[in-house]
Amino acid sequence: MANKTINRIKQNQILVFAFSQVLVLSVSRQIIGPLIPLISEELKVGLDFVGSAISLSVFALFLASLSVGNLIELIGLKKVLYIGLGVSIAGSIMLYFSHSFPIFIVAYFLLQLGVGVLIIGNLSIIGSLYSTRRTSSLIKVNMGNTAGFIIAPIIVSLMLFIKIDWRNFYLFSLILLFALVIILWKIKVPMMVRVGSNLKTLFAANKRIISNNNFIMYGIIIFFYVSVMNTFFMWFTSYFQNIDIGINISSLFLAIYGSALFIGMILRNKLIKHFRRKRILLFSFIASFFLLIGVLFIQDLIFKNILIFLFGIAIAGNFSITFSIASELFPEHTNSASGLMVAFANLGIMVFQYLSGYFSEHYSKNSILYINIAILLVLIILTSVLNYYKKFK
């Protein structure tokens, strides 16, 4: 009984550490989104160039997702977490000095690379230590990411109000990142090296995973879903600027949207106890689709924000559910499966971040809504197949 209590305390410490990592890094990366119009103006580049820079930085996440799961198998989780924090620190330092577009590209690339490494590390923690309550634990850790959606725009609005250069935030974030390094040094994280701890067996495991039709279906859903979540947040203030709402105000709207995401995560944690997870995905995408159409056509600012708030509640938490179902297909290869699932997510972000920037610059600031509505329609079709086609039952 005493050993079980000790193990539970250790697991909870690791879970809190994972949540803290996700929260700090979420704020660091999400601050860029509300600032896109300002960064575009300061660095004298178009929105299409900023969109390309974001897509390139997501390529760092893609690289990490393809390699880090296997790296954990080979050298252990704790060393990989140190690598992720180290790269994130380097990216934050460079962002503080990013007064030219080339430096900004490299700096944000490094920050995203570090984030990518730590994301896979956290997913591996959940998959390995919390296999009996994987979905619930994933949602709890990802609440740190959702909290970043609330905190980041509030910080942006505050910095603009008191006229502080946004780069100063990254100087402050270094304190938090070094604190995480110290905490990681003190806590015990299991090595979690699997049986397949050489390159040949890892290659065979990856081949087996990507040849599974069910896994591919969940990967495609994540490809589209994470694209909606990422692009809607990143281009939010650009959309409102098009209807003559300044960044200082639209950042507060964005914080309200982040609060809706947080509420949605809490509700999702309750819903999974009473409803089938696949069914939750389907009805979530249906509700999100119609709410976003309302956001597009309703002009009244109050009603528009009410619909955005409801959209946030409806769309939140679906990555955790999809990832949890997919990882259950290969419990013996959690790390590799985690990396591949995140690779699908980052590939989607790369594609749609570029498209969002290009169409926002050359066609309309409403392009982000058009793109996301189309993606949600695809997600409705995919999750309908998942729910009603016998092959996936």
Side-chain angles (χ1 to χ4, degrees):
M1 187 69 178
N3 288 334
K4 286 184 179 180
T5 303
I6 292 171
N7 288 334
R8 191 178 297 112
I9 291 170
K10 287 181 178 178
Q11 287 188 1
N12 288 338
Q13 287 177 342
I14 295 172
L15 195 65
V16 171
F17 175 72
F19 173 88
S20 302
Q21 276 189 116
V22 170
L23 175 60
V24 172
L25 292 166
S26 175
V27 175
S28 294
R29 66 193 294 215
Q30 303 303 349
I31 269 184
I32 297 299
L35 289 167
I36 283 177
L38 181 62
I39 292 171
S40 173
E41 183 181 334
E42 282 187 358
L43 301 182
K44 295 179 175 57
V45 294
L47 293 175
D48 50 345
F49 278 88
V50 179
S52 298
I54 294 170
S55 292
L56 181 62
S57 74
V58 177
F59 183 66
L61 289 168
F62 181 69
L63 289 177
S65 58
L66 289 177
S67 57
V68 173
N70 295 329
L71 190 62
I72 292 171
E73 301 274 5
L74 295 171
I75 68 173
L77 178 58
K78 194 164 189 176
K79 291 179 182 177
V80 169
L81 293 177
Y82 276 126
I83 292 171
L85 286 169
V87 176
S88 298
I89 288 169
S92 295
I93 292 171
M94 286 195 68
L95 276 168
Y96 177 69
F97 293 103
S98 60
H99 292 279
S100 68
F101 190 59
I103 294 177
F104 174 79
I105 293 175
V106 175
Y108 199 53
F109 183 92
L110 286 175
L111 180 66
Q112 292 278 54
L113 181 60
V115 169
V117 172
L118 292 168
I119 285 173
I120 306 299
N122 288 321
L123 292 176
S124 296
I125 288 173
I126 302 302
S128 300
L129 296 183
Y130 303 90
S131 56
T132 58
R133 46 193 174 104
R134 183 180 286 119
T135 305
S136 177
S137 299
L138 273 171
I139 289 174
K140 289 174 183 175
V141 169
N142 283 333
M143 281 181 181
N145 184 52
T146 308
F149 283 94
I150 303 170
I151 297 170
I154 291 175
I155 291 175
V156 169
S157 186
L158 183 62
M159 287 191 299
L160 291 175
F161 180 74
I162 58 179
K163 298 181 180 179
I164 294 178
D165 190 326
W166 59 269
R167 296 170 184 82
N168 289 324
F169 167 80
Y170 289 99
L171 197 61
F172 169 74
S173 71
L174 289 174
I175 300 171
L176 301 177
L177 289 170
F178 279 115
L180 287 173
V181 171
I182 295 169
I183 293 170
L184 178 60
W185 178 65
K186 290 187 175 182
I187 64 173
K188 291 184 179 180
V189 179
M191 281 289 291
M192 292 190 285
V193 177
R194 302 292 179 185
V195 175
S197 57
N198 61 70
L199 292 176
K200 184 177 179 181
T201 53
L202 287 175
F203 178 79
N206 286 328
K207 185 178 179 181
R208 179 176 163 232
I209 292 169
I210 61 175
S211 63
N212 184 285
N213 290 333
N214 281 275
F215 187 86
I216 293 299
M217 173 60 92
Y218 290 115
I220 294 171
I221 290 172
I222 281 180
F223 172 90
F224 286 109
Y225 170 72
V226 176
S227 300
V228 172
M229 294 295 292
N230 189 273
T231 56
F232 187 81
F233 184 90
M234 293 295 281
W235 296 94
F236 189 95
T237 56
S238 299
Y239 164 72
F240 273 100
Q241 191 178 50
N242 188 48
I243 55 176
D244 297 323
I245 305 296
I247 299 175
N248 55 335
I249 300 299
S250 59
S251 293
L252 295 177
F253 294 163
L254 190 54
I256 294 171
Y257 167 69
S259 301
L261 292 176
F262 196 82
I263 293 169
M265 294 285 282
I266 295 172
L267 291 175
R268 206 64 91 249
N269 197 32
K270 302 291 184 183
L271 288 173
I272 59 172
K273 298 175 183 178
H274 304 288
F275 299 96
R276 288 176 54 212
R277 290 174 295 178
K278 293 179 185 179
R279 196 61 57 86
I280 293 171
L281 291 175
L282 174 59
F283 286 104
S284 166
F285 295 138
I286 291 173
S288 300
F289 175 76
F290 287 107
L291 287 166
L292 209 54
I293 288 176
V295 172
L296 177 64
F297 288 107
I298 289 178
Q299 301 302 316
D300 184 87
L301 197 58
I302 294 175
F303 282 109
K304 188 183 286 286
N305 275 285
I306 289 172
L307 290 176
I308 289 172
F309 185 84
L310 294 174
F311 169 75
I313 293 175
I315 198 70
N318 291 326
F319 174 82
S320 299
I321 292 175
T322 310
F323 176 88
S324 177
I325 300 172
S327 61
E328 289 169 7
L329 298 171
F330 300 96
E332 73 279 21
H333 297 296
T334 299
N335 297 329
S336 297
S338 299
L340 289 169
M341 292 304 285
V342 176
F344 275 105
N346 293 325
L347 190 60
I349 295 171
M350 276 192 290
V351 171
F352 289 105
Q353 276 293 359
Y354 172 76
L355 291 176
S356 298
Y358 180 82
F359 284 107
S360 293
E361 178 68 22
H362 296 286
Y363 293 97
S364 167
K365 297 293 191 305
N366 285 341
S367 296
I368 187 60
L369 294 182
Y370 298 140
I371 290 170
N372 284 342
I373 288 169
I375 293 173
L376 285 167
L377 182 59
V378 173
L379 285 169
I380 290 171
I381 295 169
L382 291 172
T383 48
S384 295
V385 171
L386 198 63
N387 275 275
Y388 300 112
Y389 186 45
K390 291 181 179 179
K391 184 176 181 180
F392 294 103
K393 287 186 177 181

